[in-house]
Amino acid sequence: MLAGRHVRVLVVEDEPLLARRLVRSLSEAGYAVDAAADGERADFLAHTERYDAVVLDLGLPGIDGLTLLRRWREARVAVPVLVLTARGSWHEKVQGIDSGADDYVAKPFRIEEVLARLRALLRRAAGQAAPELRCGAVVLDPREARVTCDGVPVKLTSHEFRVLSYLMHQRGRVVSQRELVEHIYAQDFDRDSNTVEVFVARLRRKLGASLIETVRGLGYRVGAAP
């Protein structure tokens, strides 16, 4: 089931089994996911790649999670951060929030809670209060990975959904092809900007030609700002 919206997420977790579980679950939910097992790698990725959210364990080898948070905020890296903490470690939760975290989940956790909190972070970051996104007759529900047009369900491929979801969360703003590519593919994926044109053309056929506007020389835009 696809539910990703800004779709690019960095998972920073040094426990291999948990890291694989998070990456698999987030990928199945429609996010493009990169992973880092230590603080140094996470710090490098945060400064060289564009992420829409980070899932960050605090107990990392090398640079610990709290230090990473402080560095990112001091460097004005404003990406939303969901912190993973040990259950009962209330002082870690307080330190994490004070260091710049946006929310936290206590271990052990259910992956459904991580996904729900991540969706909420992404909505707030985009200034969206309601869980559903609307643009004219088109409604996108990130929770159910469902798109309807005039109330009729529309079947989209995973990449079509990601492109539409990102554009609708950036409603009223022109999004370049390069930005779309960076947000719909994971770091290790063969990124091809030409495919964006194909996805946009398919979306127009399925949802109406007027939904996605081409701004010549700049990129694409969905709707006007509400």
Side-chain angles (χ1 to χ4, degrees):
M1 181 181 292
L2 301 175
R5 71 108 184 125
H6 272 184
V7 300
R8 282 215 75 191
V9 178
L10 173 63
V11 171
V12 188
E13 171 60 60
D14 66 316
E15 185 182 331
L17 288 177
L18 180 55
R20 286 197 293 271
R21 179 186 170 208
L22 285 166
V23 169
R24 182 179 64 252
S25 298
L26 291 173
S27 298
E28 290 174 351
Y31 298 94
V33 186
D34 294 335
D38 58 69
E40 287 86 353
R41 178 64 176 167
D43 197 32
F44 173 78
L45 289 174
H47 284 93
T48 57
E49 296 287 332
R50 297 181 62 174
Y51 295 104
D52 302 296
V54 176
V55 179
L56 175 66
D57 184 27
L58 295 185
L60 297 171
I63 308 172
D64 65 86
L66 286 175
T67 300
L68 272 180
L69 265 174
R70 296 189 187 105
R71 285 188 181 182
W72 293 345
R73 296 322 189 205
E74 289 171 0
R76 301 191 182 280
V77 176
V79 60
V81 175
L82 177 64
V83 160
L84 305 180
T85 70
R87 186 174 300 277
S89 298
W90 62 267
H91 61 284
E92 282 192 346
K93 299 171 187 176
V94 172
Q95 288 179 310
I97 297 297
D98 285 345
S99 297
D102 297 275
D103 200 357
Y104 66 85
V105 175
K107 297 179 181 180
F109 52 76
R110 294 187 65 86
I111 196 65
E112 290 84 359
E113 181 180 4
V114 173
L115 292 171
R117 290 185 179 274
L118 195 56
R119 287 194 297 267
L121 284 186
L122 294 170
R123 285 201 307 269
R124 291 199 295 270
Q128 298 282 347
E132 291 184 342
L133 303 176
R134 298 175 179 269
C135 186
V138 177
V139 179
L140 184 149
D141 185 346
R143 298 166 301 178
E144 301 295 332
R146 181 177 59 196
V147 174
T148 60
C149 185
D150 286 322
V152 179
V154 179
K155 186 175 181 180
L156 302 181
T157 67
S158 61
H159 285 100
E160 289 167 1
F161 183 90
R162 290 177 178 181
V163 169
L164 177 64
S165 181
Y166 189 75
L167 287 173
M168 288 187 73
H169 275 87
Q170 302 298 320
R171 182 175 177 176
R173 184 174 75 81
V174 178
V175 178
S176 68
Q177 275 197 357
R178 179 178 178 180
E179 183 177 346
L180 272 172
V181 168
E182 289 178 346
H183 285 79
I184 65 174
Y185 294 124
Q187 184 193 27
D188 57 355
F189 200 92
D190 183 18
R191 300 172 179 176
D192 182 0
S193 61
N194 293 326
T195 59
V196 169
E197 297 180 9
V198 175
F199 299 143
V200 169
R202 291 177 183 172
L203 288 169
R204 285 170 171 158
R205 286 198 298 270
K206 294 180 179 182
L207 299 171
S210 63
L211 176 66
I212 302 175
E213 173 191 1
T214 297
V215 181
R216 189 174 300 276
L218 296 176
Y220 303 101
R221 176 170 53 201
V222 163

Short mmCIF file of all heavy atoms in Angstrom, two decimals, residues 161-198:
data_model
loop_
_atom_site.label_atom_id
_atom_site.label_comp_id
_atom_site.label_asym_id
_atom_site.label_seq_id
_atom_site.Cartn_x
_atom_site.Cartn_y
_atom_site.Cartn_z
N PHE A 161 1.75 7.97 -8.50
CA PHE A 161 1.25 8.40 -7.20
C PHE A 161 2.26 9.33 -6.51
O PHE A 161 1.89 10.35 -5.94
CB PHE A 161 0.97 7.19 -6.31
CG PHE A 161 0.38 7.54 -4.97
CD1 PHE A 161 -0.99 7.63 -4.81
CD2 PHE A 161 1.19 7.79 -3.88
CE1 PHE A 161 -1.54 7.96 -3.58
CE2 PHE A 161 0.66 8.12 -2.65
CZ PHE A 161 -0.72 8.21 -2.49
N ARG A 162 3.53 8.98 -6.57
CA ARG A 162 4.55 9.80 -5.92
C ARG A 162 4.64 11.18 -6.54
O ARG A 162 4.76 12.19 -5.84
CB ARG A 162 5.91 9.10 -6.01
CG ARG A 162 6.02 7.85 -5.14
CD ARG A 162 7.35 7.17 -5.34
NE ARG A 162 7.47 5.99 -4.47
CZ ARG A 162 8.53 5.22 -4.42
NH1 ARG A 162 9.58 5.48 -5.19
NH2 ARG A 162 8.57 4.18 -3.62
N VAL A 163 4.60 11.25 -7.87
CA VAL A 163 4.67 12.54 -8.54
C VAL A 163 3.45 13.39 -8.16
O VAL A 163 3.59 14.57 -7.80
CB VAL A 163 4.74 12.36 -10.07
CG1 VAL A 163 4.54 13.69 -10.79
CG2 VAL A 163 6.10 11.77 -10.47
N LEU A 164 2.26 12.81 -8.25
CA LEU A 164 1.05 13.56 -7.92
C LEU A 164 1.06 14.00 -6.46
O LEU A 164 0.73 15.15 -6.14
CB LEU A 164 -0.18 12.70 -8.19
CG LEU A 164 -1.52 13.35 -7.83
CD1 LEU A 164 -1.76 14.57 -8.70
CD2 LEU A 164 -2.66 12.34 -7.97
N SER A 165 1.45 13.10 -5.57
CA SER A 165 1.47 13.41 -4.15
C SER A 165 2.41 14.58 -3.85
O SER A 165 2.06 15.50 -3.12
CB SER A 165 1.90 12.17 -3.36
OG SER A 165 1.90 12.42 -1.98
N TYR A 166 3.60 14.55 -4.44
CA TYR A 166 4.55 15.63 -4.18
C TYR A 166 4.03 16.96 -4.73
O TYR A 166 4.09 17.99 -4.05
CB TYR A 166 5.91 15.30 -4.77
CG TYR A 166 6.96 16.30 -4.34
CD1 TYR A 166 7.48 16.26 -3.05
CD2 TYR A 166 7.41 17.30 -5.19
CE1 TYR A 166 8.41 17.18 -2.62
CE2 TYR A 166 8.34 18.23 -4.77
CZ TYR A 166 8.84 18.15 -3.48
OH TYR A 166 9.76 19.08 -3.05
N LEU A 167 3.51 16.94 -5.94
CA LEU A 167 3.00 18.18 -6.53
C LEU A 167 1.83 18.74 -5.74
O LEU A 167 1.72 19.96 -5.54
CB LEU A 167 2.58 17.93 -7.98
CG LEU A 167 3.71 17.73 -8.99
CD1 LEU A 167 3.15 17.31 -10.34
CD2 LEU A 167 4.55 18.99 -9.13
N MET A 168 0.95 17.87 -5.24
CA MET A 168 -0.20 18.35 -4.49
C MET A 168 0.21 18.90 -3.13
O MET A 168 -0.41 19.83 -2.61
CB MET A 168 -1.25 17.24 -4.34
CG MET A 168 -1.97 16.94 -5.65
SD MET A 168 -3.35 15.77 -5.49
CE MET A 168 -4.59 16.79 -4.66
N HIS A 169 1.26 18.35 -2.55
CA HIS A 169 1.75 18.90 -1.29
C HIS A 169 2.51 20.21 -1.50
O HIS A 169 2.69 20.97 -0.55
CB HIS A 169 2.65 17.88 -0.58
CG HIS A 169 1.89 16.91 0.27
ND1 HIS A 169 1.37 15.75 -0.24
CD2 HIS A 169 1.53 16.95 1.57
CE1 HIS A 169 0.73 15.10 0.73
NE2 HIS A 169 0.81 15.82 1.83
N GLN A 170 2.91 20.47 -2.73
CA GLN A 170 3.57 21.73 -3.06
C GLN A 170 2.61 22.64 -3.83
O GLN A 170 3.04 23.48 -4.62
CB GLN A 170 4.83 21.46 -3.90
CG GLN A 170 5.85 20.56 -3.24
CD GLN A 170 6.39 21.16 -1.97
OE1 GLN A 170 6.65 22.36 -1.89
NE2 GLN A 170 6.59 20.32 -0.96
N ARG A 171 1.34 22.49 -3.58
CA ARG A 171 0.31 23.18 -4.35
C ARG A 171 0.58 24.68 -4.46
O ARG A 171 0.87 25.35 -3.47
CB ARG A 171 -1.05 22.96 -3.68
CG ARG A 171 -2.19 23.60 -4.44
CD ARG A 171 -3.51 23.26 -3.80
NE ARG A 171 -4.60 23.95 -4.50
CZ ARG A 171 -5.88 23.79 -4.22
NH1 ARG A 171 -6.24 22.97 -3.26
NH2 ARG A 171 -6.79 24.45 -4.89
N GLY A 172 0.49 25.17 -5.69
CA GLY A 172 0.69 26.58 -5.95
C GLY A 172 2.13 26.96 -6.21
O GLY A 172 2.41 28.08 -6.62
N ARG A 173 3.07 26.03 -5.97
CA ARG A 173 4.50 26.32 -6.17
C ARG A 173 5.01 25.57 -7.39
O ARG A 173 4.62 24.42 -7.62
CB ARG A 173 5.30 25.91 -4.94
CG ARG A 173 6.78 26.26 -5.03
CD ARG A 173 7.50 25.97 -3.71
NE ARG A 173 7.74 24.55 -3.50
CZ ARG A 173 8.75 23.89 -4.05
NH1 ARG A 173 9.60 24.49 -4.87
NH2 ARG A 173 8.92 22.61 -3.79
N VAL A 174 5.87 26.20 -8.16
CA VAL A 174 6.47 25.54 -9.32
C VAL A 174 7.56 24.58 -8.85
O VAL A 174 8.45 24.97 -8.08
CB VAL A 174 7.07 26.58 -10.30
CG1 VAL A 174 7.74 25.86 -11.48
CG2 VAL A 174 5.99 27.52 -10.80
N VAL A 175 7.47 23.34 -9.29
CA VAL A 175 8.42 22.30 -8.92
C VAL A 175 9.20 21.90 -10.16
O VAL A 175 8.61 21.52 -11.18
CB VAL A 175 7.70 21.08 -8.32
CG1 VAL A 175 8.71 19.97 -7.98
CG2 VAL A 175 6.91 21.47 -7.08
N SER A 176 10.51 21.97 -10.09
CA SER A 176 11.33 21.64 -11.25
C SER A 176 11.39 20.12 -11.46
O SER A 176 11.11 19.33 -10.55
CB SER A 176 12.76 22.16 -11.06
OG SER A 176 13.42 21.45 -10.03
N GLN A 177 11.79 19.72 -12.67
CA GLN A 177 11.96 18.29 -12.95
C GLN A 177 13.01 17.69 -12.03
O GLN A 177 12.83 16.58 -11.52
CB GLN A 177 12.39 18.10 -14.42
CG GLN A 177 11.27 18.06 -15.41
CD GLN A 177 11.70 17.46 -16.73
OE1 GLN A 177 12.86 17.11 -16.94
NE2 GLN A 177 10.76 17.35 -17.65
N ARG A 178 14.08 18.42 -11.81
CA ARG A 178 15.15 17.91 -10.96
C ARG A 178 14.65 17.65 -9.54
O ARG A 178 14.98 16.63 -8.93
CB ARG A 178 16.32 18.90 -10.93
CG ARG A 178 17.47 18.45 -10.03
CD ARG A 178 18.61 19.44 -10.08
NE ARG A 178 19.69 19.04 -9.19
CZ ARG A 178 20.82 19.72 -9.03
NH1 ARG A 178 21.02 20.83 -9.73
NH2 ARG A 178 21.74 19.29 -8.20
N GLU A 179 13.85 18.58 -9.01
CA GLU A 179 13.32 18.41 -7.66
C GLU A 179 12.41 17.19 -7.59
O GLU A 179 12.45 16.43 -6.62
CB GLU A 179 12.56 19.67 -7.23
CG GLU A 179 12.03 19.61 -5.81
CD GLU A 179 11.35 20.89 -5.38
OE1 GLU A 179 11.52 21.91 -6.08
OE2 GLU A 179 10.64 20.87 -4.36
N LEU A 180 11.58 17.01 -8.60
CA LEU A 180 10.71 15.84 -8.62
C LEU A 180 11.52 14.55 -8.64
O LEU A 180 11.22 13.61 -7.90
CB LEU A 180 9.80 15.89 -9.85
CG LEU A 180 8.48 16.64 -9.69
CD1 LEU A 180 7.78 16.76 -11.05
CD2 LEU A 180 7.58 15.95 -8.69
N VAL A 181 12.54 14.51 -9.46
CA VAL A 181 13.39 13.31 -9.54
C VAL A 181 14.02 13.01 -8.19
O VAL A 181 14.06 11.86 -7.74
CB VAL A 181 14.48 13.50 -10.62
CG1 VAL A 181 15.53 12.39 -10.52
CG2 VAL A 181 13.85 13.47 -12.01
N GLU A 182 14.52 14.05 -7.51
CA GLU A 182 15.18 13.85 -6.22
C GLU A 182 14.23 13.32 -5.16
O GLU A 182 14.66 12.67 -4.21
CB GLU A 182 15.79 15.17 -5.74
CG GLU A 182 17.00 15.61 -6.54
CD GLU A 182 17.56 16.94 -6.08
OE1 GLU A 182 16.85 17.66 -5.34
OE2 GLU A 182 18.69 17.27 -6.46
N HIS A 183 12.93 13.61 -5.31
CA HIS A 183 11.99 13.23 -4.27
C HIS A 183 11.19 11.96 -4.57
O HIS A 183 10.54 11.44 -3.68
CB HIS A 183 11.02 14.38 -3.99
CG HIS A 183 11.65 15.48 -3.21
ND1 HIS A 183 12.47 16.42 -3.79
CD2 HIS A 183 11.62 15.78 -1.89
CE1 HIS A 183 12.90 17.26 -2.86
NE2 HIS A 183 12.39 16.90 -1.71
N ILE A 184 11.25 11.46 -5.79
CA ILE A 184 10.50 10.24 -6.08
C ILE A 184 11.39 9.01 -6.15
O ILE A 184 10.88 7.89 -6.15
CB ILE A 184 9.67 10.36 -7.37
CG1 ILE A 184 10.57 10.51 -8.61
CG2 ILE A 184 8.68 11.50 -7.27
CD1 ILE A 184 9.79 10.49 -9.91
N TYR A 185 12.71 9.21 -6.20
CA TYR A 185 13.63 8.07 -6.27
C TYR A 185 14.56 8.05 -5.06
O TYR A 185 14.99 9.10 -4.58
CB TYR A 185 14.51 8.15 -7.53
CG TYR A 185 13.75 7.99 -8.83
CD1 TYR A 185 13.84 8.96 -9.82
CD2 TYR A 185 12.97 6.87 -9.07
CE1 TYR A 185 13.16 8.82 -11.02
CE2 TYR A 185 12.29 6.72 -10.26
CZ TYR A 185 12.38 7.69 -11.24
OH TYR A 185 11.71 7.55 -12.42
N ALA A 186 14.89 6.86 -4.59
CA ALA A 186 15.89 6.71 -3.54
C ALA A 186 17.27 7.01 -4.12
O ALA A 186 17.47 7.05 -5.34
CB ALA A 186 15.85 5.30 -2.96
N GLN A 187 18.26 7.16 -3.24
CA GLN A 187 19.60 7.56 -3.67
C GLN A 187 20.24 6.56 -4.62
O GLN A 187 20.94 6.93 -5.55
CB GLN A 187 20.50 7.73 -2.44
CG GLN A 187 21.89 8.24 -2.77
CD GLN A 187 22.84 8.09 -1.61
OE1 GLN A 187 22.65 7.21 -0.77
NE2 GLN A 187 23.85 8.93 -1.56
N ASP A 188 19.99 5.26 -4.38
CA ASP A 188 20.66 4.24 -5.17
C ASP A 188 19.88 3.86 -6.43
O ASP A 188 20.23 2.92 -7.13
CB ASP A 188 20.91 2.98 -4.33
CG ASP A 188 19.62 2.40 -3.74
OD1 ASP A 188 18.56 3.04 -3.93
OD2 ASP A 188 19.70 1.34 -3.11
N PHE A 189 18.82 4.61 -6.74
CA PHE A 189 18.02 4.32 -7.93
C PHE A 189 18.58 5.10 -9.11
O PHE A 189 19.09 6.20 -8.96
CB PHE A 189 16.56 4.72 -7.69
CG PHE A 189 15.58 4.06 -8.62
CD1 PHE A 189 14.97 2.88 -8.26
CD2 PHE A 189 15.28 4.62 -9.85
CE1 PHE A 189 14.05 2.27 -9.10
CE2 PHE A 189 14.39 4.02 -10.71
CZ PHE A 189 13.77 2.84 -10.34
N ASP A 190 18.48 4.51 -10.29
CA ASP A 190 18.94 5.18 -11.51
C ASP A 190 17.95 6.28 -11.86
O ASP A 190 16.88 6.03 -12.41
CB ASP A 190 19.04 4.16 -12.65
CG ASP A 190 19.58 4.79 -13.92
OD1 ASP A 190 20.18 5.88 -13.84
OD2 ASP A 190 19.42 4.18 -15.00
N ARG A 191 18.32 7.51 -11.54
CA ARG A 191 17.40 8.64 -11.72
C ARG A 191 17.44 9.15 -13.15
O ARG A 191 18.50 9.46 -13.68
CB ARG A 191 17.78 9.76 -10.75
CG ARG A 191 17.71 9.35 -9.29
CD ARG A 191 18.27 10.44 -8.40
NE ARG A 191 18.19 10.08 -6.99
CZ ARG A 191 18.69 10.83 -6.00
NH1 ARG A 191 19.29 11.97 -6.27
NH2 ARG A 191 18.59 10.43 -4.76
N ASP A 192 16.28 9.27 -13.74
CA ASP A 192 16.16 9.74 -15.13
C ASP A 192 15.08 10.81 -15.18
O ASP A 192 13.90 10.51 -15.01
CB ASP A 192 15.82 8.56 -16.04
CG ASP A 192 15.73 8.97 -17.51
OD1 ASP A 192 15.93 10.17 -17.81
OD2 ASP A 192 15.45 8.11 -18.34
N SER A 193 15.49 12.04 -15.42
CA SER A 193 14.52 13.15 -15.41
C SER A 193 13.50 13.02 -16.54
O SER A 193 12.39 13.56 -16.44
CB SER A 193 15.26 14.49 -15.51
OG SER A 193 15.98 14.57 -16.72
N ASN A 194 13.86 12.32 -17.61
CA ASN A 194 12.93 12.19 -18.73
C ASN A 194 11.67 11.41 -18.34
O ASN A 194 10.60 11.61 -18.92
CB ASN A 194 13.60 11.49 -19.91
CG ASN A 194 14.70 12.34 -20.52
OD1 ASN A 194 14.60 13.56 -20.56
ND2 ASN A 194 15.75 11.69 -21.02
N THR A 195 11.80 10.52 -17.34
CA THR A 195 10.63 9.74 -16.95
C THR A 195 9.57 10.61 -16.29
O THR A 195 8.39 10.26 -16.29
CB THR A 195 11.03 8.61 -15.98
OG1 THR A 195 11.65 9.17 -14.82
CG2 THR A 195 11.98 7.64 -16.65
N VAL A 196 9.97 11.74 -15.72
CA VAL A 196 9.00 12.63 -15.08
C VAL A 196 7.98 13.11 -16.11
O VAL A 196 6.78 13.17 -15.83
CB VAL A 196 9.71 13.83 -14.42
CG1 VAL A 196 8.69 14.89 -14.00
CG2 VAL A 196 10.51 13.37 -13.21
N GLU A 197 8.43 13.44 -17.30
CA GLU A 197 7.52 13.87 -18.35
C GLU A 197 6.50 12.79 -18.67
O GLU A 197 5.32 13.09 -18.92
CB GLU A 197 8.29 14.24 -19.62
CG GLU A 197 9.25 15.42 -19.44
CD GLU A 197 9.99 15.73 -20.73
OE1 GLU A 197 9.64 15.15 -21.78
OE2 GLU A 197 10.91 16.56 -20.68
N VAL A 198 6.96 11.53 -18.65
CA VAL A 198 6.06 10.41 -18.93
C VAL A 198 4.99 10.30 -17.84
O VAL A 198 3.80 10.14 -18.13
CB VAL A 198 6.86 9.09 -19.03
CG1 VAL A 198 5.91 7.91 -19.21
CG2 VAL A 198 7.84 9.16 -20.19
#
